[in-house]
């Protein structure tokens, strides 16, 4: 029997985006299907996409506001200078700055999460304070 963690701790999923239209829907969908029942904040920073990434993210923002997944919110911001991307490090740092979760979970925009990723990693994190928890999949 699997013991899921029931908690009210906010987990922020950190995603930086640049021209990710072909992956972003599947990426976000994998977050909304998590077994973790606590609140999830998806913190996205777009670093100057020139494709439909921003439009797709705005659609997801509207869906989240309408309560499509009650415990999930989307925080979205972008580099105002689309012609001058600042890089993945800059984008991740901006996504972290705008997040408010007690725990951070990093996800690349072209990846998906295992269904129990947040539950599993949060359990290990709580058992090992002041640690960085990763995975090999």
């Amino acid at each position: 029997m699997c013991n899921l963690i029931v908690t009210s701790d906010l987990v922020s999923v950190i995603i930086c985006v640049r021209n990710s239209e072909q992956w972003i829907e599947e990426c976000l969908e994998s977050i909304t299907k998590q077994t973790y029942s606590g609140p999830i904040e998806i913190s996205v920073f777009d670093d100057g996409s020139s494709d439909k990434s921003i439009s797709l993210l705005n659609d997801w923002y509207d869906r989240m506001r309408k309560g499509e997944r009650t415990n999930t919110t989307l925080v979205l911001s972008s580099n105002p200078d689309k012609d001058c991307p600042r890089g993945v490090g800059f984008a991740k740092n901006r996504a972290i700055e705008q997040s408010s979760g007690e725990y951070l979970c990093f996800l690349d925009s072209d990846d998906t999460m295992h269904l129990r990723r947040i539950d599993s990693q949060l359990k290990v994190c709580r058992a090992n304070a002041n640690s960085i928890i990763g995975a090999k999949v």
Side-chain angles (χ1 to χ4, degrees):
M1 183 166 125
C2 179
N3 293 323
L4 298 180
I5 297 171
V6 178
T7 179
S8 61
D9 291 328
L10 177 62
V11 175
S12 292
V13 179
I14 305 300
I15 305 173
C16 56
V17 171
R18 179 157 163 79
N19 296 331
S20 301
E21 74 175 294
Q22 70 186 73
W23 307 288
I24 197 65
E25 298 254 21
E26 189 177 5
C27 175
L28 296 172
E29 189 71 34
S30 75
I31 299 168
T32 64
K33 292 182 177 179
Q34 289 295 297
T35 58
Y36 178 67
S37 62
I40 298 173
E41 171 189 69
I42 305 170
S43 180
V44 179
F45 183 86
D46 178 79
D47 192 22
S49 290
S50 59
D51 64 0
K52 295 179 184 176
S53 294
I54 290 291
S55 175
L56 294 170
L57 288 165
N58 284 328
D59 289 346
W60 271 84
Y61 178 81
D62 290 341
R63 289 168 59 187
M64 292 292 132
R65 282 190 33 220
K66 292 177 184 172
E68 195 164 297
R69 185 180 191 277
T70 56
N71 283 343
T72 304
T73 57
L74 178 65
V75 178
L76 176 60
S77 65
S78 60
N79 182 348
D81 186 357
K82 287 188 173 198
D83 295 329
C84 188
R86 302 286 302 272
V88 68
F90 179 85
K92 280 187 181 183
N93 285 333
R94 299 300 76 75
I96 291 167
E97 286 173 357
Q98 72 187 16
S99 70
S100 54
E102 183 174 349
Y103 298 95
L104 302 179
C105 182
F106 293 89
L107 182 64
D108 291 336
S109 62
D110 63 345
D111 288 337
T112 60
M113 284 190 169
H114 184 277
L115 185 64
R116 294 188 324 257
R117 177 182 175 187
I118 293 176
D119 270 327
S120 299
Q121 289 184 327
L122 192 53
K123 182 178 179 181
V124 174
C125 187
R126 287 194 176 130
N128 299 279
N130 299 317
S131 297
I132 296 174
I133 310 302
K136 182 179 179 183
V137 179

